[in-house]
């Protein structure tokens, strides 16, 4: 395919990301309207750049023809939570949608089983139908759910992986692990005041709508 | 229901409008990416205000319990086209989605059968499923398709209807009819140069992506 | 300059367009909040593409070194009005800002002195200060003020000029002139119901805020 | 003043927040375009709710007539940084603008002198000119600069202060202090890998624009 054709290949992925962002942001709005604590703090999304797709395909030995099934995170959605406990609630909300506007392909729990690098997040791979001007297309998308602290750490690891092309030198990797521990610690401390806070934020929403 | 309960009643309608705006705006983006002329110029959406819903319910003798089936335009989407001919293409695009992400309930052709007032637009009433935190809800929505000139006129008629509570005095109504004729005339003149323009805009998209 | 340097050359223009859009959209919001009729219907903005800048520079015999003074519309803002009469009000609002957050360089009245092609709009060329990370830069920007009907026509003429590289063939040019007349006619008819409408929209804003 | 008059009182504050958000987000965009590491990660803004303004006025003994000078954070901008070191760079960028598009009234360094509660952030109070349809108005605004970890903690403290009306009970206050320490620890660990990361993100921007 020419580079223009690859641009067109990304059309349904871009549309899926736009729709999924609106859908998960809608859940946050809904909780606020119901004057309730929202387990979703904010939502971002992105389509992988073509150069990153090609690099990953090479690394995973995926041929050009199988890219749409072999690379599962061309469309990516990230849901940030205030507290570790909120991740469970978001998982439930996504499972509720299974066989409705999306199909869950599989889940991966890097929250309870963190990666060696220190990475923590909960992942869903979903199949999502997109209506285009030339008919329906089903694409794969990855949804990552994490706390603000997990996200902060992951952003930084991502930059370093990019710089070192997946080969971060050992002394930096060690520092990253220590930073991951500090992030974990922060999440733990926050969990201890969670009940107080969720109650407080609920009151906040109620009062500010009166 | 209390006024707060009514606010909550609107939650799925607000979500539907957000999703439908993203979906139809996505079609425009898609045409641009395909370096093609887009039949959609721009898309707007709104949820009817509660006061307007109640007024309409009263006028149509719809009871409070039946508002979700009796008032079909609580969620409203408006699709604007450059040329009258584009309306047919947009109709097709919507019919393609029937039984996929929305169901068409019925259609009304006020383009070929304009209202006495001078009003022209093509209407779809659709049923649209919304996933909320408490499960799926199906709502009704109205999609209006019109040219820029039809839209200009309709905006102005809407304000006057609001001011005169659906009873625009005869001398103003006459002037509105004359304005509708001028809008129609403009659409006719534009149609005569349509082929030239669509070709030109297609070239524009192609070149600006090179 | 390399193509990357030209991309950087555009930075203050992009920032200026973002700021000016927010400023003129703010005026519309302000009128609504004051429960008043807004002379501004909507606002768009764009930075000229590099290829268009270079083409224009060639056509106007502007050297690469003088592009920032020789091409006055690299940053462009467009303000759309419902009625011809609103253009005068917007002119006043801009003149009020002179020597405050922008300086007016000159004005051109293509509303009362329409171009031979049928083009109608009111133009301001302004000088606008932008704060960048490497200090203040003053750039030129063009503000176009027009009715919805003038805008509709101008969009279409723009596409055709692009296609025919400023040399639209005579028979199409004639049709464009007829379309411009139809647009003018529509503006005239609308003006005749203007007083009724502005009053109605003011009432609308007042009521919908109660 | 009636409640409607108070709504109008907020107009220039709302406009200021919109403009300041665009201005500081523009700095981030600029760094990215220059293929450089941005000291600004993201920017948010808000206008204080009327009820919060009145509560604060009461608490500080500010009369209704002096609210625009007595309450300095009716317009609030928050700038988030990845690393503690970035705060210094953002401070510089703001000081560069002094006497240009804003005037600095005073600064407060709660980063090096954290509050007893654990609160850390760098504050500027600025005077900012807003052009309205009825002339220029100068308003006060507060700019808070903080890391992501400081922000996370502050959001939570804010909710608790709201719930307990500025009187958080001692046992919760103690937990908050411990959470603040964990946030501080995370910032420290992150600083240790900062040089690696800024370099990596700079490379990222450069490559992704090629």
């Amino acid at each position: 395919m020419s580079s223009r054709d690859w641009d067109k290949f990304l059309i349904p992925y871009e549309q899926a990301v736009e729709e999924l962002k609106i859908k998960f942001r809608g859940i946050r709005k809904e909780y606020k309207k119901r004057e309730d604590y929202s387990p979703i703090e904010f939502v971002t999304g992105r389509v992988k750049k073509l150069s990153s797709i090609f690099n990953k395909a090479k690394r995973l030995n995926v041929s050009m023809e199988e890219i749409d099934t072999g690379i599962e995170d061309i469309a990516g959605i990230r849901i940030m939570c205030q507290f570790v406990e909120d991740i469970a609630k978001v998982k439930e909300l996504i499972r509720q949608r299974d066989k409705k506007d999306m199909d869950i392909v599989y889940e991966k729990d890097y929250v309870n089983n963190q990666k060696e690098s220190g990475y923590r997040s909960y992942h869903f791979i979903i199949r999502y139908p997109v209506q285009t001007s030339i008919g329906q297309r089903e694409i794969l998308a990855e949804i990552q759910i994490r706390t603000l602290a997990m996200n902060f750490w992951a952003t930084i690891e991502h930059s370093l992986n990019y710089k070192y092309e997946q080969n971060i030198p050992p002394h930096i990797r060690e520092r990253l692990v220590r930073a991951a521990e500090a992030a974990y610690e922060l999440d733990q401390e926050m969990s201890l005041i969670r009940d107080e806070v969720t109650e407080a934020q609920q009151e906040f929403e109620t009062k500010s709508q009166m």
Side-chain angles (χ1 to χ4, degrees), chain A:
Chain A
M1 287 208 278
S2 71
S3 98
R4 274 204 207 178
D5 288 336
W6 278 111
D7 278 348
K8 286 174 197 164
F9 167 79
L10 293 182
I11 291 173
Y13 293 93
E14 283 157 0
Q15 185 57 23
V17 166
E18 290 309 308
E19 293 183 15
L20 289 166
K21 278 196 295 186
I22 284 290
K23 286 180 173 187
F24 290 112
R25 283 175 185 162
I27 291 182
R28 178 176 165 82
K29 276 196 215 158
E30 190 192 330
Y31 273 95
K32 298 259 162 197
K33 277 241 163 174
R34 293 197 197 283
E35 297 160 13
D36 216 342
Y37 171 76
S38 166
I40 292 177
E41 187 65 12
F42 66 96
V43 179
T44 63
R46 65 102 190 85
V47 173
K48 228 181 171 65
K49 293 204 168 121
L50 282 174
S51 59
S52 304
I53 296 174
F54 297 150
N55 282 339
K56 191 164 185 176
K58 212 172 152 185
R59 214 164 60 236
L60 302 185
N61 252 320
V62 171
S63 75
M64 290 293 110
E65 289 68 41
E66 299 167 320
I67 271 183
D68 57 340
T69 52
I71 311 286
E72 296 168 330
D73 65 344
I74 294 176
I77 290 291
R78 199 166 284 161
I79 299 175
M80 261 63 71
C81 307
Q82 280 196 301
F83 300 103
V84 180
E85 291 78 4
D86 299 333
I87 295 175
K89 182 66 199 157
V90 177
K91 272 160 55 179
E92 249 179 76
L93 287 169
I94 292 174
R95 285 180 190 155
Q96 263 181 39
R97 301 180 90 119
D98 192 24
K99 314 283 173 225
K100 287 190 182 130
D101 61 342
M102 57 189 70
D103 290 344
I104 297 171
V105 182
Y106 67 85
E107 309 184 18
K108 264 197 181 156
D109 182 356
Y110 296 122
V111 173
N112 292 308
N113 312 297
Q114 65 168 67
K115 289 193 188 175
E116 217 181 316
S117 62
Y119 180 82
R120 301 174 75 226
S121 280
Y122 198 92
H123 291 195
F124 280 90
I125 301 294
I126 61 163
R127 192 170 289 114
Y128 186 78
V130 179
Q131 310 302 323
T132 76
S133 71
I134 52 174
Q136 179 170 304
R137 278 256 348 243
E138 290 211 331
I139 60 115
L140 292 178
E142 183 180 78
I143 305 174
Q144 303 176 337
I145 317 167
R146 43 172 80 157
T147 63
L148 296 170
M150 293 174 193
N151 186 46
F152 182 18
W153 184 90
T155 310
I156 279 169
E157 195 218 14
H158 181 78
S159 306
L160 291 171
N161 261 325
Y162 187 88
K163 179 181 176 185
Y164 294 108
E165 294 172 355
Q166 315 292 328
N167 292 307
I168 302 179
H171 71 284
I172 297 174
R173 196 147 271 296
E174 267 166 51
R175 281 195 204 152
L176 260 179
V177 169
R178 270 206 303 284
E181 282 161 8
Y184 180 76
E185 197 56 44
L186 179 54
D187 273 339
Q188 293 293 99
E189 290 293 344
M190 288 304 191
S191 281
L192 292 173
I193 40 177
R194 181 180 174 267
D195 292 345
E196 296 290 340
V197 173
T198 53
E199 224 177 279
Q201 293 187 348
Q202 197 172 333
E203 249 174 80
F204 186 79
E205 291 309 318
T206 311
K207 279 193 195 161
S208 65
Q209 295 198 6
M210 283 194 293

